[in-house]
Amino acid sequence: MTARKRYWLMKSEPDAFSIDDLQRVGTEPWNGVRNYQARNFMRDGMKVGDGILFYHSNTKVPGIVGVATVASDAYPDDTQFDPGSDYYDPKASREQPRWYLVDVAFERKLAQVIALDEIKRHAAALGEGFPLTARGNRLSVFPVTGAQWKLLLSLEKKLPA
């Protein structure tokens, strides 16, 4: 029996790492996550083959810009051990790492951005507490149900070209 495929949304600032960067490199470690809940989603929830909605945040038009796939099981994020890294954590050790990541593989770039404003128009259908439409939610990695995945990707086909 195979495990059920899961779906996720992962946010990145395009100035730091964009969907174009992922398309260029193909597969990339999703490092630098320093939120325990987001870390737990990657470490404990993500499985190879899970779907990812790639979201650009902190940009003029934030929104979903592509689709990717979880390409590895979780493993320790090496940036936590590097004193020269912005993501260095002096409390982490190789024997007891605190931060984990997964590799992310490019699948496709959307024909156009599914903007946050458009996503918010479907808040009721996405369900109460959906992180992109809930106030105050800042998680960079979170689960998406199969129904939410289908709804969000269906918006790509409905946007004017």
Side-chain angles (χ1 to χ4, degrees), residues 36-85:
Y36 287 108
Q37 189 175 9
R39 184 251 349 238
N40 293 348
F41 287 142
M42 289 195 298
R43 185 190 66 194
D44 305 332
M46 288 186 174
K47 303 293 179 219
V48 173
D50 285 356
I52 298 167
L53 296 171
F54 196 109
Y55 183 95
H56 280 172
S57 64
N58 200 22
T59 186
K60 186 176 179 180
V61 180
I64 300 166
V65 295
V67 177
T69 303
V70 176
S72 75
D73 289 325
Y75 60 95
D77 180 344
D78 277 341
T79 62
Q80 69 190 305
F81 310 123
D82 178 4
S85 170

CSV table of all heavy atoms in Angstrom, one decimal, residues 36-85:
chain,number,residue,atom,x,y,z
A,36,TYR,N,9.7,26.6,14.0
A,36,TYR,CA,9.6,25.2,14.4
A,36,TYR,C,8.4,24.5,13.7
A,36,TYR,O,8.5,23.3,13.3
A,36,TYR,CB,9.5,25.1,15.9
A,36,TYR,CG,10.8,25.3,16.6
A,36,TYR,CD1,11.0,26.5,17.3
A,36,TYR,CD2,11.8,24.4,16.5
A,36,TYR,CE1,12.2,26.7,18.0
A,36,TYR,CE2,13.0,24.6,17.1
A,36,TYR,CZ,13.2,25.8,17.9
A,36,TYR,OH,14.4,26.1,18.5
A,37,GLN,N,7.3,25.2,13.6
A,37,GLN,CA,6.1,24.5,12.9
A,37,GLN,C,6.4,24.2,11.5
A,37,GLN,O,6.1,23.1,11.0
A,37,GLN,CB,4.9,25.4,13.1
A,37,GLN,CG,3.6,24.7,12.6
A,37,GLN,CD,2.4,25.5,12.9
A,37,GLN,OE1,2.4,26.6,13.2
A,37,GLN,NE2,1.2,24.9,12.7
A,38,ALA,N,7.0,25.1,10.8
A,38,ALA,CA,7.4,24.9,9.4
A,38,ALA,C,8.4,23.8,9.3
A,38,ALA,O,8.4,22.9,8.4
A,38,ALA,CB,7.9,26.2,8.7
A,39,ARG,N,9.4,23.8,10.2
A,39,ARG,CA,10.4,22.7,10.2
A,39,ARG,C,9.8,21.4,10.4
A,39,ARG,O,10.1,20.4,9.8
A,39,ARG,CB,11.4,23.0,11.4
A,39,ARG,CG,12.6,22.1,11.5
A,39,ARG,CD,12.6,21.1,12.7
A,39,ARG,NE,11.7,21.1,13.8
A,39,ARG,CZ,12.1,21.2,15.0
A,39,ARG,NH1,13.4,21.4,15.3
A,39,ARG,NH2,11.2,21.1,16.0
A,40,ASN,N,8.8,21.3,11.3
A,40,ASN,CA,8.1,20.1,11.6
A,40,ASN,C,7.4,19.5,10.4
A,40,ASN,O,7.3,18.3,10.2
A,40,ASN,CB,7.2,20.2,12.8
A,40,ASN,CG,8.0,20.4,14.1
A,40,ASN,OD1,9.2,20.3,14.2
A,40,ASN,ND2,7.2,20.8,15.1
A,41,PHE,N,6.7,20.5,9.7
A,41,PHE,CA,6.1,20.0,8.4
A,41,PHE,C,7.1,19.4,7.5
A,41,PHE,O,6.8,18.3,6.9
A,41,PHE,CB,5.4,21.2,7.7
A,41,PHE,CG,4.1,21.7,8.4
A,41,PHE,CD1,3.9,23.1,8.5
A,41,PHE,CD2,3.2,20.9,9.0
A,41,PHE,CE1,2.7,23.6,9.1
A,41,PHE,CE2,2.1,21.3,9.6
A,41,PHE,CZ,1.8,22.7,9.7
A,42,MET,N,8.2,20.0,7.3
A,42,MET,CA,9.2,19.4,6.4
A,42,MET,C,9.8,18.1,7.0
A,42,MET,O,9.9,17.1,6.2
A,42,MET,CB,10.4,20.4,6.1
A,42,MET,CG,9.9,21.6,5.3
A,42,MET,SD,11.3,22.6,4.6
A,42,MET,CE,12.1,23.2,6.1
A,43,ARG,N,10.2,18.1,8.2
A,43,ARG,CA,10.8,17.0,8.8
A,43,ARG,C,9.9,15.8,9.0
A,43,ARG,O,10.2,14.6,8.7
A,43,ARG,CB,11.4,17.4,10.2
A,43,ARG,CG,12.2,16.3,10.9
A,43,ARG,CD,12.5,16.6,12.3
A,43,ARG,NE,11.3,16.7,13.1
A,43,ARG,CZ,11.2,17.2,14.3
A,43,ARG,NH1,12.2,17.7,14.9
A,43,ARG,NH2,10.0,17.2,15.0
A,44,ASP,N,8.6,16.0,9.4
A,44,ASP,CA,7.7,15.0,9.8
A,44,ASP,C,6.6,14.7,8.8
A,44,ASP,O,6.1,13.6,8.8
A,44,ASP,CB,7.1,15.3,11.2
A,44,ASP,CG,8.1,15.6,12.3
A,44,ASP,OD1,9.2,15.0,12.2
A,44,ASP,OD2,7.8,16.3,13.2
A,45,GLY,N,6.3,15.7,8.0
A,45,GLY,CA,5.2,15.5,7.1
A,45,GLY,C,5.5,15.3,5.6
A,45,GLY,O,4.8,14.5,5.0
A,46,MET,N,6.5,15.9,5.1
A,46,MET,CA,6.8,15.8,3.7
A,46,MET,C,7.4,14.5,3.3
A,46,MET,O,8.3,14.0,4.0
A,46,MET,CB,7.7,17.0,3.3
A,46,MET,CG,7.0,18.3,3.3
A,46,MET,SD,8.2,19.5,2.6
A,46,MET,CE,7.0,20.9,2.6
A,47,LYS,N,7.0,14.0,2.2
A,47,LYS,CA,7.5,12.7,1.6
A,47,LYS,C,7.9,13.0,0.2
A,47,LYS,O,7.3,13.8,-0.5
A,47,LYS,CB,6.4,11.6,1.7
A,47,LYS,CG,5.9,11.4,3.1
A,47,LYS,CD,7.0,10.8,4.0
A,47,LYS,CE,6.5,10.5,5.4
A,47,LYS,NZ,7.4,10.8,6.4
A,48,VAL,N,8.8,12.2,-0.3
A,48,VAL,CA,9.3,12.3,-1.7
A,48,VAL,C,8.0,12.2,-2.6
A,48,VAL,O,7.2,11.2,-2.4
A,48,VAL,CB,10.3,11.3,-2.1
A,48,VAL,CG1,10.7,11.3,-3.5
A,48,VAL,CG2,11.6,11.6,-1.2
A,49,GLY,N,7.9,13.1,-3.6
A,49,GLY,CA,6.7,13.0,-4.5
A,49,GLY,C,5.6,13.9,-4.2
A,49,GLY,O,4.7,14.1,-5.0
A,50,ASP,N,5.6,14.4,-2.9
A,50,ASP,CA,4.5,15.4,-2.6
A,50,ASP,C,4.5,16.6,-3.4
A,50,ASP,O,5.6,17.0,-3.9
A,50,ASP,CB,4.6,15.8,-1.1
A,50,ASP,CG,4.2,14.8,-0.1
A,50,ASP,OD1,3.7,13.7,-0.5
A,50,ASP,OD2,4.4,15.0,1.1
A,51,GLY,N,3.4,17.2,-3.7
A,51,GLY,CA,3.3,18.4,-4.5
A,51,GLY,C,3.5,19.7,-3.7
A,51,GLY,O,3.1,19.7,-2.5
A,52,ILE,N,4.1,20.6,-4.4
A,52,ILE,CA,4.4,21.9,-3.8
A,52,ILE,C,3.8,23.0,-4.7
A,52,ILE,O,4.1,23.1,-5.9
A,52,ILE,CB,5.9,22.1,-3.6
A,52,ILE,CG1,6.5,21.1,-2.6
A,52,ILE,CG2,6.2,23.5,-3.1
A,52,ILE,CD1,8.0,21.0,-2.7
A,53,LEU,N,3.1,24.0,-4.1
A,53,LEU,CA,2.7,25.2,-4.7
A,53,LEU,C,3.8,26.2,-4.3
A,53,LEU,O,4.1,26.4,-3.1
A,53,LEU,CB,1.4,25.7,-4.2
A,53,LEU,CG,0.2,24.8,-4.6
A,53,LEU,CD1,-1.1,25.3,-3.9
A,53,LEU,CD2,0.0,24.8,-6.1
A,54,PHE,N,4.5,26.7,-5.3
A,54,PHE,CA,5.7,27.7,-5.1
A,54,PHE,C,5.1,29.1,-5.1
A,54,PHE,O,4.5,29.5,-6.1
A,54,PHE,CB,6.7,27.5,-6.2
A,54,PHE,CG,8.0,28.1,-5.9
A,54,PHE,CD1,9.1,27.3,-5.7
A,54,PHE,CD2,8.2,29.4,-5.9
A,54,PHE,CE1,10.4,27.8,-5.4
A,54,PHE,CE2,9.5,30.0,-5.7
A,54,PHE,CZ,10.5,29.2,-5.4
A,55,TYR,N,5.3,29.8,-4.0
A,55,TYR,CA,4.6,31.1,-3.7
A,55,TYR,C,5.7,32.1,-3.6
A,55,TYR,O,6.6,32.0,-2.8
A,55,TYR,CB,3.8,31.0,-2.5
A,55,TYR,CG,3.0,32.2,-2.1
A,55,TYR,CD1,1.7,32.3,-2.5
A,55,TYR,CD2,3.5,33.2,-1.4
A,55,TYR,CE1,0.9,33.4,-2.1
A,55,TYR,CE2,2.8,34.3,-1.0
A,55,TYR,CZ,1.5,34.4,-1.4
A,55,TYR,OH,0.8,35.5,-1.0
A,56,HIS,N,5.5,33.2,-4.3
A,56,HIS,CA,6.4,34.4,-4.2
A,56,HIS,C,5.8,35.4,-3.1
A,56,HIS,O,4.7,35.8,-3.3
A,56,HIS,CB,6.6,35.1,-5.5
A,56,HIS,CG,7.6,34.5,-6.4
A,56,HIS,ND1,7.8,34.9,-7.7
A,56,HIS,CD2,8.5,33.5,-6.2
A,56,HIS,CE1,8.8,34.2,-8.2
A,56,HIS,NE2,9.2,33.3,-7.3
A,57,SER,N,6.5,35.7,-2.1
A,57,SER,CA,6.1,36.6,-1.1
A,57,SER,C,7.0,37.8,-1.1
A,57,SER,O,8.0,37.9,-1.7
A,57,SER,CB,6.1,36.0,0.3
A,57,SER,OG,7.4,35.6,0.7
A,58,ASN,N,6.5,38.9,-0.4
A,58,ASN,CA,7.3,40.1,-0.3
A,58,ASN,C,7.7,40.7,-1.6
A,58,ASN,O,8.8,41.0,-1.9
A,58,ASN,CB,8.5,39.9,0.6
A,58,ASN,CG,9.0,41.2,1.2
A,58,ASN,OD1,8.3,42.2,1.2
A,58,ASN,ND2,10.3,41.2,1.5
A,59,THR,N,6.7,40.8,-2.5
A,59,THR,CA,6.9,41.3,-3.9
A,59,THR,C,5.7,42.1,-4.3
A,59,THR,O,4.7,42.0,-3.6
A,59,THR,CB,7.2,40.1,-4.8
A,59,THR,OG1,7.5,40.6,-6.1
A,59,THR,CG2,6.0,39.2,-4.9
A,60,LYS,N,5.8,42.8,-5.4
A,60,LYS,CA,4.7,43.7,-5.8
A,60,LYS,C,3.4,42.9,-5.9
A,60,LYS,O,2.3,43.4,-5.5
A,60,LYS,CB,5.0,44.4,-7.1
A,60,LYS,CG,4.0,45.4,-7.5
A,60,LYS,CD,4.5,46.1,-8.8
A,60,LYS,CE,3.4,47.2,-9.2
A,60,LYS,NZ,3.8,47.9,-10.4
A,61,VAL,N,3.4,41.7,-6.5
A,61,VAL,CA,2.2,40.9,-6.7
A,61,VAL,C,2.5,39.5,-6.1
A,61,VAL,O,3.0,38.6,-6.8
A,61,VAL,CB,1.8,40.8,-8.1
A,61,VAL,CG1,0.5,39.9,-8.3
A,61,VAL,CG2,1.5,42.1,-8.8
A,62,PRO,N,2.3,39.4,-4.8
A,62,PRO,CA,2.5,38.1,-4.2
A,62,PRO,C,1.5,37.0,-4.7
A,62,PRO,O,0.4,37.4,-5.0
A,62,PRO,CB,2.3,38.3,-2.7
A,62,PRO,CG,1.5,39.5,-2.6
A,62,PRO,CD,1.8,40.3,-3.8
A,63,GLY,N,2.0,35.8,-4.8
A,63,GLY,CA,1.1,34.8,-5.3
A,63,GLY,C,1.8,33.5,-5.7
A,63,GLY,O,3.0,33.4,-5.6
A,64,ILE,N,1.0,32.5,-6.1
A,64,ILE,CA,1.5,31.2,-6.5
A,64,ILE,C,2.1,31.4,-8.0
A,64,ILE,O,1.4,31.9,-8.8
A,64,ILE,CB,0.4,30.2,-6.5
A,64,ILE,CG1,-0.1,30.0,-5.1
A,64,ILE,CG2,0.9,28.8,-7.0
A,64,ILE,CD1,-1.4,29.2,-4.9
A,65,VAL,N,3.3,31.0,-8.1
A,65,VAL,CA,4.0,31.2,-9.4
A,65,VAL,C,4.4,29.9,-10.1
A,65,VAL,O,4.8,29.9,-11.3
A,65,VAL,CB,5.2,32.1,-9.3
A,65,VAL,CG1,4.8,33.5,-8.8
A,65,VAL,CG2,6.2,31.5,-8.3
A,66,GLY,N,4.3,28.7,-9.4
A,66,GLY,CA,4.8,27.5,-10.0
A,66,GLY,C,4.4,26.3,-9.1
A,66,GLY,O,3.8,26.4,-8.1
A,67,VAL,N,4.8,25.1,-9.7
A,67,VAL,CA,4.5,23.9,-9.0
A,67,VAL,C,5.9,23.1,-9.0
A,67,VAL,O,6.7,23.1,-9.9
A,67,VAL,CB,3.5,23.0,-9.8
A,67,VAL,CG1,3.3,21.6,-9.2
A,67,VAL,CG2,2.2,23.7,-9.9
A,68,ALA,N,6.1,22.5,-7.8
A,68,ALA,CA,7.3,21.8,-7.6
A,68,ALA,C,7.0,20.5,-6.9
A,68,ALA,O,5.8,20.2,-6.6
A,68,ALA,CB,8.3,22.6,-6.8
A,69,THR,N,8.0,19.7,-6.6
A,69,THR,CA,7.8,18.4,-6.0
A,69,THR,C,8.9,18.2,-4.9
A,69,THR,O,10.0,18.6,-5.0
A,69,THR,CB,8.0,17.2,-7.0
A,69,THR,OG1,7.1,17.4,-8.1
A,69,THR,CG2,7.8,15.9,-6.4
A,70,VAL,N,8.5,17.6,-3.8
A,70,VAL,CA,9.4,17.2,-2.7
A,70,VAL,C,10.3,16.1,-3.3
A,70,VAL,O,9.8,15.1,-3.8
A,70,VAL,CB,8.7,16.7,-1.5
A,70,VAL,CG1,9.7,16.2,-0.4
A,70,VAL,CG2,7.9,17.8,-0.9
A,71,ALA,N,11.6,16.4,-3.4
A,71,ALA,CA,12.6,15.5,-4.0
A,71,ALA,C,13.5,14.7,-3.1
A,71,ALA,O,14.3,13.9,-3.6
A,71,ALA,CB,13.4,16.3,-5.0
A,72,SER,N,13.4,14.9,-1.8
A,72,SER,CA,14.2,14.1,-0.8
A,72,SER,C,13.4,14.0,0.5
A,72,SER,O,12.5,14.8,0.8
A,72,SER,CB,15.5,14.8,-0.6
A,72,SER,OG,15.4,15.9,0.2
A,73,ASP,N,13.8,13.0,1.3
A,73,ASP,CA,13.4,13.0,2.7
A,73,ASP,C,14.1,14.1,3.4
A,73,ASP,O,15.1,14.7,2.9
A,73,ASP,CB,13.7,11.7,3.3
A,73,ASP,CG,12.9,10.5,2.8
A,73,ASP,OD1,11.7,10.8,2.5
A,73,ASP,OD2,13.4,9.4,2.6
A,74,ALA,N,13.6,14.5,4.6
A,74,ALA,CA,14.2,15.6,5.3
A,74,ALA,C,15.6,15.2,5.8
A,74,ALA,O,15.8,14.0,6.2
A,74,ALA,CB,13.3,15.9,6.5
A,75,TYR,N,16.5,16.2,5.9
A,75,TYR,CA,17.8,16.0,6.4
A,75,TYR,C,18.3,17.3,7.1
A,75,TYR,O,17.7,18.3,6.8
A,75,TYR,CB,18.8,15.4,5.4
A,75,TYR,CG,19.0,16.3,4.2
A,75,TYR,CD1,20.0,17.2,4.1
A,75,TYR,CD2,18.1,16.2,3.1
A,75,TYR,CE1,20.3,18.0,3.0
A,75,TYR,CE2,18.3,17.0,1.9
A,75,TYR,CZ,19.4,17.9,1.9
A,75,TYR,OH,19.6,18.7,0.8
A,76,PRO,N,19.3,17.2,7.9
A,76,PRO,CA,19.7,18.4,8.6
A,76,PRO,C,20.2,19.5,7.6
A,76,PRO,O,20.8,19.3,6.6
A,76,PRO,CB,20.9,18.0,9.5
A,76,PRO,CG,20.6,16.5,9.7
A,76,PRO,CD,20.0,16.0,8.4
A,77,ASP,N,19.7,20.8,7.9
A,77,ASP,CA,20.1,22.0,7.2
A,77,ASP,C,21.5,22.4,7.6
A,77,ASP,O,21.7,22.8,8.7
A,77,ASP,CB,19.1,23.1,7.5
A,77,ASP,CG,19.3,24.4,6.7
A,77,ASP,OD1,20.4,24.6,6.2
A,77,ASP,OD2,18.4,25.2,6.7
A,78,ASP,N,22.5,22.2,6.7
A,78,ASP,CA,23.9,22.6,7.0
A,78,ASP,C,24.1,24.0,7.4
A,78,ASP,O,25.1,24.3,8.0
A,78,ASP,CB,24.8,22.2,5.8
A,78,ASP,CG,25.2,20.7,5.9
A,78,ASP,OD1,25.0,20.1,6.9
A,78,ASP,OD2,25.6,20.2,4.8
A,79,THR,N,23.2,24.9,6.9
A,79,THR,CA,23.5,26.3,7.3
A,79,THR,C,23.4,26.6,8.8
A,79,THR,O,24.0,27.6,9.2
A,79,THR,CB,22.4,27.3,6.5
A,79,THR,OG1,21.1,27.0,7.0
A,79,THR,CG2,22.5,27.1,5.0
A,80,GLN,N,22.8,25.7,9.5
A,80,GLN,CA,22.7,25.9,11.0
A,80,GLN,C,24.1,25.7,11.6
A,80,GLN,O,24.3,26.2,12.7
A,80,GLN,CB,21.7,25.0,11.6
A,80,GLN,CG,22.1,23.5,11.6
A,80,GLN,CD,21.0,22.6,12.0
A,80,GLN,OE1,20.4,22.7,13.1
A,80,GLN,NE2,20.6,21.6,11.1
A,81,PHE,N,25.0,25.1,11.0
A,81,PHE,CA,26.3,24.8,11.5
A,81,PHE,C,27.4,25.8,11.1
A,81,PHE,O,28.5,25.7,11.5
A,81,PHE,CB,26.8,23.4,11.1
A,81,PHE,CG,25.8,22.3,11.4
A,81,PHE,CD1,25.3,21.5,10.4
A,81,PHE,CD2,25.2,22.1,12.7
A,81,PHE,CE1,24.4,20.5,10.6
A,81,PHE,CE2,24.3,21.1,12.9
A,81,PHE,CZ,23.8,20.3,11.9
A,82,ASP,N,27.1,26.7,10.1
A,82,ASP,CA,28.0,27.6,9.5
A,82,ASP,C,28.0,28.9,10.2
A,82,ASP,O,27.0,29.7,10.0
A,82,ASP,CB,27.7,27.7,8.0
A,82,ASP,CG,28.7,28.6,7.3
A,82,ASP,OD1,29.6,29.2,7.9
A,82,ASP,OD2,28.4,28.8,6.1
A,83,PRO,N,29.0,29.3,11.0
A,83,PRO,CA,29.0,30.6,11.7
A,83,PRO,C,28.9,31.8,10.7
A,83,PRO,O,28.5,32.9,11.1
A,83,PRO,CB,30.3,30.6,12.4
A,83,PRO,CG,30.7,29.2,12.5
A,83,PRO,CD,30.2,28.5,11.3
A,84,GLY,N,29.3,31.6,9.4
A,84,GLY,CA,29.2,32.6,8.5
A,84,GLY,C,27.9,32.8,7.8
A,84,GLY,O,27.6,33.7,7.0
A,85,SER,N,27.0,31.9,8.1
A,85,SER,CA,25.6,31.9,7.5
A,85,SER,C,24.7,32.8,8.2
A,85,SER,O,24.7,32.8,9.5
A,85,SER,CB,25.1,30.5,7.4
A,85,SER,OG,23.7,30.5,7.0
